[in-house]
Amino acid sequence: MITYDWNCKTVDVHPQEEGKTNVVYNVHWVVTGIQEDYSATNIGTQVVSLSEGGDFIPLEDLTNETIVGWTKDAIGEEQVKAIKTSIASQIEEEINPTSVTMTIEK
């Protein structure tokens, strides 16, 4: 079974927006899947709007968990599934490679 870890701790902010300070508008996400000794990672960015999170939360009060929720909501269920499928395929390729690079010695 693959365990998926979402890291959404890097964000771009507007210093001022709609009377708020340090408003998150873009999330840099890293999703790592781990299965035993194998792992794979997908990275990307996702634009989020001030209204995505409902009530405004000051930057210093935000948690990775909150921003992961915003990011998954903005990406959509189908794309979240596609990210997990891609990671699972990468791990499967590590476990059972369909191609390997070898060097001819002579």
Side-chain angles (χ1 to χ4, degrees):
M1 185 168 93
I2 300 173
T3 302
Y4 296 95
D5 176 57
W6 285 73
N7 178 330
C8 296
K9 294 179 182 178
T10 302
V11 296
D12 297 321
V13 301
H14 290 296
Q16 295 290 320
E17 182 180 334
E18 297 181 20
K20 310 291 185 200
T21 303
N22 294 327
V23 178
V24 174
Y25 71 90
N26 191 47
V27 177
H28 299 257
W29 55 263
V30 179
V31 182
T32 302
I34 301 169
Q35 180 178 330
E36 297 175 11
D37 293 332
Y38 302 95
S39 68
T41 300
N42 279 12
I43 61 172
T45 60
Q46 179 60 50
V47 173
V48 296
S49 70
L50 179 60
S51 61
E52 297 263 353
D55 293 331
F56 179 76
I57 302 171
L59 184 68
E60 60 272 8
D61 295 334
L62 286 173
T63 64
N64 185 63
E65 181 180 347
T66 298
I67 299 173
V68 167
W70 292 354
T71 303
K72 286 181 176 181
D73 287 348
I75 288 174
E77 188 176 320
E78 199 165 303
Q79 186 61 29
V80 169
K81 184 178 177 182
I83 291 166
K84 289 181 175 183
T85 299
S86 173
I87 290 171
S89 295
Q90 292 174 59
I91 291 173
E92 179 60 30
E93 180 66 24
E94 282 185 56
I95 295 169
N96 299 301
T98 57
S99 174
V100 293
T101 302
M102 303 190 85
T103 304
I104 298 173
E105 298 296 326
K106 295 183 183 182

